[in-house]
Amino acid sequence: MKGKRHSPGQVVRKLREADRLLAEGADLALVCRTLEISVQTYQRWRVQYRAMRPEDVVRLKALEKENGRLKRLLAEKELD
């Protein structure tokens, strides 16, 4: 079964919601069920996104896109 993909902004929002629920005393399994993700997904997101804010994710994606563009330009230049 193929799962649905979440955008980085959605991931950050879900992690913030998880933090709020965990601070209220809910256990991790209940939080993950509420957010409709697995515990493994939660842990992977925690490692990957750590303490990012939604604006940080947008900036990261823009930088990655720019980096890819620059790499393509360099590769084209090297071929010439």
Side-chain angles (χ1 to χ4, degrees):
M1 182 170 84
K2 184 173 180 171
K4 65 179 178 180
R5 301 276 179 166
H6 293 85
S7 72
Q10 290 173 325
V11 170
V12 171
R13 280 190 291 278
K14 284 194 176 197
L15 287 175
R16 288 197 177 275
E17 179 68 14
D19 289 342
R20 186 186 62 79
L21 292 172
L22 289 170
E24 291 175 357
D27 65 332
L28 183 58
L30 177 63
V31 169
C32 291
R33 261 190 312 242
T34 303
L35 298 176
E36 299 176 345
I37 59 173
S38 68
V39 174
Q40 292 82 8
T41 299
Y42 170 79
Q43 292 170 343
R44 188 178 68 245
W45 285 354
R46 244 318 133 213
V47 168
Q48 185 176 1
Y49 290 96
R50 296 201 181 124
M52 290 182 120
R53 297 183 311 251
E55 19 335 315
D56 295 337
V57 173
V58 171
R59 178 148 167 72
L60 175 65
K61 289 299 174 183
L63 290 172
E64 287 175 348
K65 186 177 179 180
E66 178 69 11
N67 192 25
R69 187 183 69 80
L70 293 172
K71 283 183 179 181
R72 281 191 300 281
L73 284 173
L74 180 62
E76 290 173 3
K77 184 71 173 175
E78 291 290 322
L79 288 175
D80 291 342

